[in-house]
Amino acid sequence: MNLFQTESNFDASKITFFFSADGRVDFRKLVKMLVKEFRTKIEMRQVGIRNQAKMCGGVGRCGRELCCSAFMTKFEPVSIRMAKKQGLSLNPTKISGVCGRLMCCLTF
């Protein structure tokens, strides 16, 4: 489980924790501990690795803001075939984005 962001209401009536994980996570005990500590409503949201990159932002290999955080609203499937058509290297480390998946910009 990789906790990467929290949000709180202005009146602190609810705290939302955003995390990513490889599989499903059972966090009922953790929520009970957090409720006891913060004395407020706790919400845990699991998001995908691409959504994590979108929420955190950053700079891609090209030196520009990440496509997913700058303008993309929907994640289209990305395949190696797209890199082949563009004549790019098929080395996964060269065509992978910050999130570790194939770069979203290969769809353009």
Side-chain angles (χ1 to χ4, degrees):
M1 183 168 139
N2 177 22
L3 177 68
F4 66 89
Q5 187 173 354
T6 60
E7 289 180 358
S8 176
N9 288 3
F10 185 69
D11 61 353
S13 63
K14 180 175 88 170
I15 301 173
T16 306
F17 292 88
F18 293 94
F19 68 95
S20 62
D22 292 334
R24 186 163 161 75
V25 178
D26 184 17
F27 45 75
R28 288 178 281 194
K29 288 181 182 178
L30 175 62
V31 170
K32 287 179 184 178
M33 289 172 36
L34 292 171
V35 166
K36 188 185 282 186
E37 179 71 27
F38 293 111
R39 301 187 196 293
T40 187
K41 183 178 177 182
I42 301 292
E43 185 177 341
M44 302 286 281
R45 287 206 179 158
Q46 183 172 358
V47 298
I49 194 77
R50 289 186 190 251
N51 288 322
Q52 178 183 353
K54 181 176 183 162
M55 293 172 79
C56 293
V59 178
R61 291 177 183 252
C62 58
R64 300 182 70 190
E65 185 179 1
L66 295 176
C67 297
C68 58
S69 62
F71 62 87
M72 289 181 70
T73 57
K74 189 174 155 186
F75 294 113
E76 299 291 329
V78 182
S79 67
I80 287 283
R81 187 176 305 138
M82 294 173 180
K84 257 186 207 179
K85 283 183 183 178
Q86 296 175 33
L88 299 174
S89 168
L90 299 181
N91 184 348
T93 58
K94 292 185 178 182
I95 57 175
S96 295
V98 175
C99 62
R101 304 274 173 94
L102 291 175
M103 293 188 290
C104 297
C105 60
L106 292 175
T107 58
F108 307 122

